[in-house]
Amino acid sequence: MSNELVISSTQKGDRIALLQDKRLQEYHVEELDSSFTVGDLYLGTIKKLSSGLNAAFVDVGHEKDGFLHYQDLGPNINSLNKFTKDIIAKRANTGRLNNFKLEPEIEKIGKIDKVLAKGAPILVQVVKEPISTKGPRLSCDISIAGRYLVLVPFANSVNISKKITDRAERTRLLRLMSSLKPQNFGVIVRTVAQGREVEELDRDLQNSLDKWETAMQALREAKPRDRVLGEMNRASSILRDMLNESFDSITVDTREAFDEIKHYIHTIAPEKEKIVKLYSGKSKVFEALGLEKQIKSLFGRSVSLPGGGYLIIEHTEALHVIDVNSGNKSNSEEDQEATAISVNREAAKEIARQLRLRDMGGIIVVDFIDMKRAENKKLIYDLMRDEMKFDRSKFTILPLTKFGLMQITRQRVRPEMNVATREVCPTCGGTGTIQASVLVTDVIENNLDYILTRQNERGITVILHPFLHAYFTKGWIRSRQWQWYWKYKTWVKLIQDSSLGLMDFRFLHKTGEEIELSAQVI
């Protein structure tokens, strides 16, 4: 399986597409002025404590205060608050914690008003971006993500990813990281660290420590609402999490992005530096690679399946609903059960792709085509789990109910990706109504008369819809086109264009330039 990353830079920001075997799998739009990205650190101020919710509302500069629940404080919130005050008061000159005395951990089940005070400054991290009318979701359990490791300040534990199952490798990584990590910093070893040499792990650890140090230096001079550490851009975070041997191409269309990505690749995986390419074609990179067409076809309400079935995707405030339909597939199988299995298998693969592509989060309900046999229902359930295992977001899948419904929950950390796949009608301008079609021929002839008699134009061309072209040329020698010739003593060339609406037409000079029509005549 080959992976490609395509980045198109615009004035508003970057468009990022992740392809697997030339098929679009993820699509992101990153605006230049975007803030409150997952992973950002902010110096906030506690505005309100809600004992009923056991949560605090924190002012971090968004129009809606951020939400901080007691369970998101982390066990070492007292140590974080103490160190934050020391940094702001300039009693601490560095982010290193070697000589820092940790405070006792808070209770797992406690009251937030016993830990925090209204009006106090607090260092928080964004764990969920603002969605709809809600402000960002915040956490005080700070973590700095690297390629192989996650650095956790004010902790001393070393945790290994559960996906690393080899006991010898887990023991090696545990001993290695216990000897490398600084005092009062915890480490979570990611799955991609399996088999990596000590030099690579140590370099990644030092990079994360440098980020923490940079944040603490910014905190010394920060004012309330300031961002003290920005998460890397979306393209770099994708590379950080997914770059492996299967990546064979990274295409960018600006020199600035090319230099930035190449520098980052050189830092995390020097051997992959040569796969970064600068696109220099005349057309836009998304257009040249066929991505625009894929995007338009994949983000609509209806999504086609390869075998003739299709999905209908609806979004509500509470959940997402996906309906699976057989379409013309129902005529190609021997019986109903075979049709259901065939369409549902294709649907499961496409749904897993659509969840990643649109970044759909929360509750998703899928209405599969009914299947009678329990083993077939289990087959679709297992297939969906296999397809979803590549998803970077946390998810839970429940088996199909007796009504053929599958319930999925998927971590929601940013607004869902929406792409407008419908365009404003060029004929009605979006009003839903057009001029009476019976009058269009009169309008064309009125304009023709005005151009030929008032403006004395000759050799003009009229571009119009094929239906109108047939109407004006029908009857050959008795056609309206020939009648114009006898009347005006000049030939009017007619060209049909199926891309035009029925009511649309254009007049051209003999030079090929469009003639501006008088509003009074129209």
Side-chain angles (χ1 to χ4, degrees), residues 417-478:
M417 174 60 64
N418 282 315
V419 175
T421 57
R422 298 190 177 192
E423 300 172 355
V424 175
C425 172
T427 305
C428 72
T431 63
T433 59
I434 60 175
Q435 186 181 17
S437 57
V438 71
L439 300 177
V440 66
T441 55
D442 292 340
V443 173
I444 291 175
E445 292 190 328
N446 289 342
N447 277 282
L448 185 65
D449 183 76
Y450 182 85
I451 291 169
L452 295 177
T453 59
R454 300 285 186 88
Q455 297 182 351
N456 292 320
E457 293 281 355
R458 289 295 181 268
I460 69 169
T461 301
V462 184
I463 302 177
L464 31 66
H465 190 276
F467 286 174
L468 293 174
H469 182 274
Y471 172 77
F472 286 125
T473 57
K474 181 182 178 182
W476 193 61
I477 200 69
R478 295 182 179 180

Side-chain angles (χ1 to χ4, degrees), residues 6-11 13-15 32 250-262 276-281 285:
V6 182
I7 305 169
S8 175
S9 299
T10 65
Q11 292 181 344
D14 294 336
R15 302 171 69 199
L32 290 177
I250 301 170
T251 306
V252 297
D253 61 357
T254 63
R255 172 60 63 176
E256 293 80 7
F258 175 78
D259 293 338
E260 181 183 347
I261 293 293
K262 197 162 187 178
V276 185
K277 304 170 185 175
L278 178 62
Y279 174 78
S280 57
V285 61

Side-chain angles (χ1 to χ4, degrees), residues 193-478:
Q194 187 169 0
R196 296 295 173 178
E197 298 296 329
V198 61
E199 292 83 1
E200 295 177 276
L201 300 177
D202 185 53
R203 183 170 65 244
D204 193 50
L205 177 62
Q206 294 304 318
N207 288 339
S208 296
L209 286 168
D210 290 343
K211 286 183 183 178
W212 172 254
E213 183 65 41
T214 300
M216 293 303 100
Q217 293 302 322
L219 183 60
R220 285 169 57 87
E221 309 298 332
K223 298 177 182 178
R225 298 181 164 194
D226 281 357
R227 179 166 56 181
V228 297
L229 180 65
E231 173 66 304
M232 64 178 61
N233 60 44
R234 196 73 58 85
S236 297
S237 65
I238 291 174
L239 292 172
R240 178 192 66 196
D241 296 340
M242 299 190 66
L243 185 65
N244 54 33
E245 289 73 18
S246 67
F247 255 92
D248 52 18
S249 176
I250 301 170
T251 306
V252 297
D253 61 357
T254 63
R255 172 60 63 176
E256 293 80 7
F258 175 78
D259 293 338
E260 181 183 347
I261 293 293
K262 197 162 187 178
H263 175 74
Y264 181 68
I265 295 290
H266 179 76
T267 302
I268 65 170
E271 71 281 359
K272 284 285 184 180
E273 194 174 345
K274 61 181 180 296
I275 69 174
V276 185
K277 304 170 185 175
L278 178 62
Y279 174 78
S280 57
K282 292 182 179 180
S283 59
K284 295 180 180 179
V285 61
F286 271 46
E287 193 72 47
L289 298 178
L291 295 179
E292 292 289 4
K293 187 175 181 180
Q294 285 198 53
I295 291 169
K296 289 291 185 182
S297 65
L298 291 171
F299 278 87
R301 176 175 176 267
S302 176
V303 178
S304 300
L305 299 175
Y310 62 94
L311 307 176
I312 298 294
I313 303 176
E314 298 280 5
H315 310 284
T316 70
E317 187 69 23
L319 47 79
H320 308 277
V321 181
I322 303 176
D323 184 31
V324 181
N325 296 277
S326 60
N328 58 22
K329 181 72 173 179
S330 56
N331 300 323
S332 60
E333 299 291 347
E334 296 179 358
D335 56 58
Q336 182 179 350
E337 190 78 1
T339 299
I341 295 172
S342 177
V343 176
N344 286 342
R345 286 173 65 95
E346 289 184 351
K349 296 178 181 179
E350 184 61 34
I351 288 167
R353 179 191 181 197
Q354 286 288 330
L355 296 185
R356 293 195 300 272
L357 195 59
R358 303 184 187 217
D359 206 3
M360 292 162 60
I363 301 173
I364 301 104
V365 177
V366 183
D367 183 9
F368 283 103
I369 298 175
D370 289 340
M371 296 174 291
K372 296 179 181 179
R373 298 175 185 170
E375 60 267 25
N376 292 335
K377 292 182 179 182
K378 186 176 185 304
L379 183 147
I380 298 301
Y381 170 68
D382 292 340
L383 178 61
M384 180 62 81
R385 292 185 62 183
D386 289 341
E387 292 295 324
M388 289 283 287
K389 68 183 179 182
F390 300 107
D391 202 317
R392 291 184 293 150
S393 297
K394 296 178 181 178
F395 62 87
T396 302
I397 304 175
L398 297 182
L400 276 76
T401 68
K402 65 179 180 179
F403 298 117
L405 301 178
M406 177 180 286
Q407 300 166 68
I408 303 172
T409 61
R410 186 172 181 273
Q411 185 182 22
R412 189 181 189 186
V413 297
R414 57 179 60 90
E416 175 202 346
M417 174 60 64
N418 282 315
V419 175
T421 57
R422 298 190 177 192
E423 300 172 355
V424 175
C425 172
T427 305
C428 72
T431 63
T433 59
I434 60 175
Q435 186 181 17
S437 57
V438 71
L439 300 177
V440 66
T441 55
D442 292 340
V443 173
I444 291 175
E445 292 190 328
N446 289 342
N447 277 282
L448 185 65
D449 183 76
Y450 182 85
I451 291 169
L452 295 177
T453 59
R454 300 285 186 88
Q455 297 182 351
N456 292 320
E457 293 281 355
R458 289 295 181 268
I460 69 169
T461 301
V462 184
I463 302 177
L464 31 66
H465 190 276
F467 286 174
L468 293 174
H469 182 274
Y471 172 77
F472 286 125
T473 57
K474 181 182 178 182
W476 193 61
I477 200 69
R478 295 182 179 180

Side-chain angles (χ1 to χ4, degrees), residues 86-88 90-94 215-222:
D86 288 347
I87 289 288
I88 294 174
K90 297 182 172 56
R91 290 191 292 267
N93 298 320
T94 177
M216 293 303 100
Q217 293 302 322
L219 183 60
R220 285 169 57 87
E221 309 298 332

